[in-house]
Amino acid sequence: IGTGGMGVSQRKIASEVGAEILRQGGNAVDAAVATGLALAVVLPRAGNLGGGGFMLFYSKELKKTIAIDYREMAPLQASRDMFLDEKGNYDRRKAQFSLLSAGVPGTVAGLYYALNKYGTLSWGEVLDPAIKLAEEGFVVPHDLSSVLNNYKKRLTANKATAKAYYKANKETYSAGEVIKLPDLAWSLKELKKVGPDAFYKGKIAEMELNGGLITAKDLANYKVKERLPLQGTFKGYEIVSMPPSSSGGVHLIQMLNMLEPFSLKEMGFGSAKSIHLMSEVMKRAYADRSKYLGDTDFVSVPLKGLTDKEYAKALLKEISLKKVTPFKSISNGNPLPYESPDTTHFSVMDDEGNVVSNTYTLNFSYGSGIVIPGTGILMNNEMDDFSSKKGVPNAYGLVGYEANEIEAEKRPLSSMTPTIVFKNKEPYLILGSPGGSRIITTVLQVALNVLEHNMSVKQAVVSPRIHHQWLPDVLLMEEGFSPDTVTLLEEMGHTIRSSRTMGSVQAIIYKDKYFYGAADPRRPSSGAVAVNP
Ligand code: DON
């Protein structure tokens, strides 16, 4: 709890970097950019320079929210069938773990754009804390040590990755030891010296041209897009979230519209009734996602229609409150959607009322697992977020069609859902999450926990969550629901699987002049840091 601002991220040490910038008089954008750069050092599986993401910024002065899209772009040589083998089948290795899996990274351009346009500090000032962490090292938390250990085989297969993140004999750092990232420190210092051009045209750019599809032209051609955020309402609250190239905002608003006529509060948190209703609503949204959503710079997406309250009403007519609607089930042998512990969200609010809600990622943990030699920079594998083959699920079990097929310069469809909820025109709840396809349903439930169930922000973040994404036709439930609830849901026709934890929400509520931060305990070493003048 604080009265002078708040930073919440998946690494407390990075939240502290942001809070310190706020204490020194920086605004929310300064603090957010510094946090993002610090996370690229201390949370290497998701914090990044070689990936991309989305930032929502509410400017108190302009009284409006700006959406900054710094999602990766497909390289110019990318083409629709690039991830199909000779038999025309989806080649998972190529799409997820090869150099071809990398989209042109947007993070450096995006963070610089935000700072330059809406921040108050210099690029060097916000880079300094990250440089210090990379150069002097930081204490390895248990979480980093154990994830690096789990991924050892994949990550040490790449020489530069092994060199950057493991000891000389491929030994994993133990919790409590100090890890230094000298190559990454060099890259950050290049960025400080030259600016973002170092990454897109300069020395770092040269090193990026190492055999994948990405060319110097691609790097020089990368564009940040400032977009109009999507706006919806829910029981008097205003919901502001991310437009395409993310699907997050569209479906968050669509699901809230469908749930608005009901009182989930009366049904009760964790009741079979409320879970059934949410799950039926989720299915409709994900069915629409697979068909309609893609990069709006390339395909037209019926955003108005999808977020229209009348459309929500029409969809509701097909929902029975008592029974599962039978959906064609996915053919046997398809794995459940896989969630890797990556992507990351951070939320920042300053004492003037400016807000940043930012989610960014490399896609999988450590992206493609490939570090660009000499730079310490991990490359994303975001190209797998495209639909490589019609109707064939990607890593998250998500299916897609033409709207999300691969095209040069197109952005792969994301589920990232950085969101700001307004109450009486003032920012009230700031949140977002990782979780692949589960991001949108995670954000939905945490928002409902606050807006419907009147939970504190901490309780809202901690409470167990569910997920349904239409295909596969399975209702996922975290541990923590009553067995009675599970039995009732099975009687209604749900196929239930218990799930590992879903998402990692970093949220803030601003109420009565206090900032309340909540960092999700599902991923350890996260933390909310308050500023108290
Ligand atoms: O943009 C997306 O939707 C995915 N690349 C996000 C990946 C993710 O959240 C993985 N994490 N748990």
Side-chain angles (χ1 to χ4, degrees):
I1 300 177
T3 54
M6 179 71 71
V8 193
S9 81
Q10 215 172 300
R11 278 286 180 269
K12 191 165 186 188
I13 189 173
S15 310
E16 182 55 53
V17 164
E20 187 52 30
I21 297 256
L22 294 179
R23 285 183 204 113
Q24 288 166 10
N27 72 7
V29 174
D30 300 322
V33 172
T35 302
L37 292 166
L39 284 169
V41 180
V42 297
L43 185 70
R45 68 173 186 242
N48 66 81
L49 300 178
F54 301 97
M55 181 185 285
L56 276 189
F57 165 54
Y58 172 73
S59 159
K60 179 78 178 174
E61 190 190 324
L62 302 172
K63 295 249 169 302
K64 71 170 186 181
T65 307
I66 286 126
I68 301 172
D69 176 338
Y70 60 96
R71 180 73 161 169
E72 295 89 338
M73 283 166 72
L76 286 159
Q77 292 172 48
S79 58
R80 194 189 66 186
D81 298 335
M82 64 185 276
F83 294 130
L84 302 186
D85 61 19
E86 318 80 64
K87 291 190 184 133
N89 294 325
Y90 169 57
D91 183 339
R92 200 176 68 89
R93 278 207 66 78
K94 233 194 218 173
Q96 299 175 0
F97 297 113
S98 76
L99 272 172
L100 300 183
S101 68
V104 183
T107 296
V108 171
L111 295 182
Y112 182 81
Y113 178 94
L115 183 83
N116 201 30
K117 196 150 174 202
Y118 302 109
T120 67
L121 299 182
S122 72
W123 181 233
E125 282 169 306
V126 294
L127 272 164
D128 279 339
I131 293 172
K132 187 162 189 263
L133 285 164
E135 205 159 45
E136 294 174 14
F138 59 94
V139 177
V140 172
H142 168 78
D143 182 54
L144 175 59
S145 169
S146 77
V147 178
L148 282 174
N149 207 38
N150 293 343
Y151 284 86
K152 187 184 273 189
K153 196 165 163 227
R154 165 155 92 84
L155 294 179
T156 56
N158 179 275
K159 254 197 189 152
T161 313
K163 176 177 168 248
Y165 290 105
Y166 296 83
K167 297 186 193 173
N169 46 2
K170 296 190 183 175
E171 201 186 312
T172 318
Y173 285 88
S174 304
E177 289 185 306
V178 170
I179 186 171
K180 293 183 184 176
L181 301 170
D183 286 351
L184 188 57
W186 174 83
S187 294
L188 290 162
K189 284 193 276 188
E190 271 300 298
L191 287 176
K192 179 172 172 175
K193 208 161 62 185
V194 181
D197 272 359
F199 189 91
Y200 293 99
K201 292 173 185 159
K203 281 195 193 153
I204 305 175
E206 279 165 30
M207 294 155 98
E208 285 174 78
L209 309 174
N210 60 353
L213 276 195
I214 297 175
T215 61
K217 196 168 165 204
D218 282 313
L219 288 167
N221 189 33
Y222 182 82
K223 282 176 203 71
V224 174
K225 298 261 166 119
E226 190 168 311
R227 303 189 190 274
L228 280 181
L230 284 180
Q231 306 212 357
T233 57
F234 179 77
K235 302 191 181 185
Y237 295 96
E238 199 186 332
I239 315 296
V240 178
S241 193
M242 205 66 210
S245 53
S246 182
S247 60
V250 183
H251 299 301
L252 175 67
I253 292 169
Q254 181 186 15
M255 291 191 285
L256 285 170
N257 284 345
M258 290 174 79
L259 291 167
E260 194 172 36
F262 300 92
S263 174
L264 290 175
K265 182 156 181 67
E266 266 171 35
M267 293 178 184
F269 174 85
S271 65
K273 258 189 185 172
S274 73
I275 292 175
H276 168 72
L277 176 62
M278 287 196 297
S279 152
E280 291 293 297
V281 160
M282 289 170 183
K283 282 189 214 172
R284 269 75 184 180
Y286 280 79
D288 280 350
R289 183 191 189 280
S290 75
K291 177 153 186 206
Y292 297 112
L293 266 285
D295 179 352
T296 41
D297 292 343
F298 284 73
V299 292
S300 85
V301 178
L303 293 177
K304 275 226 168 74
L306 288 167
T307 55
D308 186 80
K309 301 232 187 229
E310 291 304 314
Y311 177 58
K313 274 191 207 150
L315 288 177
L316 278 180
K317 288 202 186 115
E318 299 159 22
I319 292 180
S320 153
L321 290 181
K322 302 219 160 68
K323 266 187 88 143
V324 163
T325 318
F327 263 56
K328 72 170 180 199
S329 53
I330 201 154
S331 56
N332 288 342
N334 277 312
L336 279 179
Y338 156 84
E339 176 175 345
S340 53
D342 46 56
T343 304
T344 195
H345 180 85
F346 50 91
S347 298
V348 181
M349 193 164 178
D350 67 27
D351 63 352
E352 285 168 11
N354 301 302
V355 173
V356 171
S357 181
N358 186 100
T359 316
Y360 74 156
T361 190
L362 291 165
N363 195 20
F364 287 10
S365 278
Y366 305 95
S368 58
I370 299 170
V371 162
I372 306 155
T375 68
I377 295 174
L378 276 156
M379 274 308 240
N380 69 82
N381 61 343
E382 219 78 61
M383 291 292 284
D384 188 58
D385 277 349
F386 279 117
S387 170
S388 293
K389 185 174 177 180
K390 276 180 213 167
V392 173
N394 73 357
Y396 304 102
L398 291 167
V399 291
Y401 298 90
E402 284 84 358
N404 189 32
E405 68 189 13
I406 306 175
E407 271 179 76
E409 298 190 277
K410 193 174 174 185
R411 292 169 195 238
L413 184 62
S414 175
S415 300
M416 290 188 270
T417 315
T419 298
I420 306 174
V421 177
F422 291 78
K423 186 179 183 177
N424 303 324
K425 304 247 174 277
E426 295 296 331
Y428 174 59
L429 169 65
I430 298 117
L431 77 167
S433 179
S437 55
R438 304 162 194 191
I439 293 173
I440 321 173
T441 50
T442 292
V443 170
L444 171 76
Q445 289 167 86
V446 175
L448 288 171
N449 288 347
V450 173
L451 308 182
E452 268 288 284
H453 297 295
N454 297 329
M455 290 183 192
S456 70
V457 68
K458 186 77 193 181
Q459 195 188 353
V461 164
V462 170
S463 295
R465 306 193 263 259
I466 62 144
H467 174 73
H468 201 307
Q469 62 182 47
W470 180 55
L471 288 172
D473 192 4
V474 166
L475 174 60
L476 294 176
M477 295 179 79
E478 281 185 335
E479 296 295 323
F481 289 102
S482 147
D484 296 357
T485 296
V486 175
T487 305
L488 287 170
L489 285 164
E490 279 169 347
E491 282 169 11
M492 290 164 119
H494 290 276
T495 306
I496 296 174
R497 298 273 164 82
S498 70
S499 163
R500 286 186 297 166
T501 61
M502 299 188 215
S504 169
V505 175
Q506 315 301 329
I508 303 174
I509 277 187
Y510 180 67
K511 200 157 104 184
D512 304 329
K513 300 203 160 52
Y514 283 96
F515 301 89
Y516 299 85
D520 203 325
R522 284 172 182 78
R523 308 264 169 93
S525 298
S526 58
V529 177
V531 177
N532 279 302

